[in-house]
Amino acid sequence: MAPQFSSRLLADTNTQPPLRVQVAQGIQPTYSIDAGIDGEIFPAMANFASLQRPNDRDFGTLTVTVSNSSPAVLNARVSVSVYGWSDTEIQNVSIGSGEIRKLLFAPVFLPRFYANREIIAATAQIKVTDSSNRLLHSETVPVRLRSVDDIYWGKDFKYAPFIASWVTPHDPAVESVLTRAKEFMPGRRLPGYEDWKTADQQRTTTNEEARAIYRALRETGISYVKSSLTFGRNAGISERVRMPADSLQRLSANCIDGVVMYASLFENLGMDPVVVLVPGHAYVGVRDAAESDSYLYIETAITGRASFDAAVKAASTRLAKIPEKDIIRIPISIARLSGIYPMPVPGQDIRHFPADESSADAFPSGR
């Protein structure tokens, strides 16, 4: 089973045919606002949407539906924010008489959003003004912000590509593991792929690098801890996934935690990792040579208690027994081309430096 790559990741789309509403004299335009998935905002999805230009978005963190039942064209300035949690995004629109328009908003969230570890209540606000800045409409709606660790898989893992948001190759904790791993390599080098080598030579090096990374992780004392419990709606198709830095700090990781951790290490080296989802489990793979169609697969869940060779054998043996239709492969390089980048890490990303006082004063406290 192949995940859905490209920008068409969610249902709302700017390419839907225009909707119409009956026009009547004396009737004013109406507005409604919807947030995230069933009123819940997932950080990985919000980050993805905020990186898109409004006209390029296929879904919004917040969707405002405007129904213009009036006989006149509506020229308006629509602004949306989440109190205390996001910037304000503004869109200038012109909506014809009798037209229904969906406006897709994805305001940039503040650092605290990506530091939040539990589901929490917040308030979204919409303001509509005309060209003279006269207020036409103002409304607030309650929303729920999911933990930064929560991924929404969706039905049949439709949104599985978002797992690439947890692959964080530039995290200092990831760099630290590679610093240890190079000590287990010939010449103390972790070169990734080298184009001057033959395919067979690259495969040998890839195996050596994977073995060195495995050993470095094993020597940290990391081991398996199941910790996928999450709260909120759609609990059956969402899950807690630790960020690699979290796993490395706590020396604990379940299968998907380990997969994104290994994938971060391989991507840092310029290699091509793949996240492999199978019923009830996950594996990591890495392309064994730059132009190769074959991968080296690793069972990450046994890092703390088995040899590298045993982990490779366990992964390849299990995958060989699973029908291809039941396997979802998510190449991280393809996810990046689709616009799915690592989630910001507060304190490690220039976008998350503290705002100055004038900016902070613009946002009332969240609920």
Side-chain angles (χ1 to χ4, degrees), residues 4-16 37 45 48-63 91 102-106 158-159 162 338-339:
Q4 182 178 1
F5 281 109
S6 85
S7 61
R8 304 290 169 196
L9 288 166
L10 291 181
D12 287 339
T13 172
N14 282 324
T15 62
Q16 292 177 345
I37 307 294
M45 290 178 163
F48 169 81
S50 70
L51 290 167
Q52 313 299 309
R53 293 175 297 186
N55 290 337
D56 293 337
R57 290 178 190 145
D58 300 304
F59 73 96
T61 303
L62 298 151
T63 301
Q91 294 185 25
K102 283 189 174 184
L103 307 176
L104 307 180
F105 287 83
K158 180 179 181 180
Y159 307 123
F162 280 107
S338 299

Side-chain angles (χ1 to χ4, degrees), residues 107-344:
V108 175
F109 280 84
L110 302 177
R112 62 186 299 215
F113 182 58
Y114 296 99
N116 176 45
R117 301 288 177 170
E118 199 56 87
I119 189 168
I120 193 167
T123 302
Q125 181 184 52
I126 170 178
K127 286 186 178 181
V128 184
T129 58
D130 63 14
S131 57
S132 300
N133 206 33
R134 180 171 62 95
L135 184 65
L136 302 178
H137 181 79
S138 180
E139 181 182 355
T140 62
V141 296
V143 299
R144 298 202 288 184
L145 307 179
R146 295 291 291 259
S147 163
V148 70
D149 297 322
D150 287 355
I151 185 169
Y152 177 71
W153 295 112
K155 184 179 179 181
D156 298 325
F157 287 84
K158 180 179 181 180
Y159 307 123
F162 280 107
I163 194 62
S165 301
W166 276 258
V167 179
T168 56
H170 297 145
D171 192 294
V174 170
E175 298 270 11
S176 179
V177 172
L178 294 173
T179 298
R180 293 194 295 270
K182 70 180 175 63
E183 301 301 326
F184 307 129
M185 283 290 293
R188 301 177 64 244
R189 298 175 65 246
L190 285 168
Y193 305 126
E194 294 178 300
D195 56 12
W196 56 268
K197 291 182 178 178
T198 66
D200 284 342
Q201 288 173 328
Q202 285 187 29
R203 289 188 183 95
T204 298
T205 302
T206 295
N207 190 281
E208 290 173 343
E209 290 176 303
R211 186 183 296 272
I213 288 170
Y214 189 93
R215 180 178 173 183
L217 286 170
R218 188 177 181 190
E219 291 192 359
T220 67
I222 199 165
S223 60
Y224 182 90
V225 174
K226 181 176 175 62
S227 57
S228 57
L229 176 67
T230 188
F231 302 105
R233 298 188 177 99
N234 300 296
I237 48 178
S238 58
E239 181 179 4
R240 179 193 182 204
V241 181
R242 286 190 181 96
M243 298 293 280
D246 237 15
S247 296
L248 291 166
Q249 179 185 4
R250 302 178 189 282
L251 300 180
S252 301
N254 64 17
C255 61
I256 191 64
D257 302 337
V259 164
V260 296
M261 180 173 57
Y262 274 87
S264 299
L265 292 157
F266 289 128
E267 189 181 34
N268 179 287
L269 298 177
M271 304 174 82
D272 291 335
V274 59
V275 173
V276 183
L277 305 177
V278 300
H281 203 48
Y283 300 96
V284 72
V286 59
R287 193 184 299 274
D288 60 11
E291 303 299 326
S292 174
D293 291 327
S294 59
Y295 287 78
L296 173 69
Y297 295 104
I298 302 170
E299 166 58 278
T300 68
I302 60 176
T303 300
R305 60 185 175 85
S307 68
F308 172 73
D309 291 330
V312 169
K313 183 178 180 180
S316 57
T317 300
R318 173 80 191 283
L319 286 171
K321 295 178 179 179
I322 300 174
E324 192 61 33
K325 66 180 180 63
D326 293 331
I327 301 176
I328 299 174
R329 303 176 194 274
I330 304 158
I332 300 304
S333 61
I334 302 300
R336 301 300 190 221
L337 291 175
S338 299
I340 303 175
Y341 301 116
M343 270 191 288

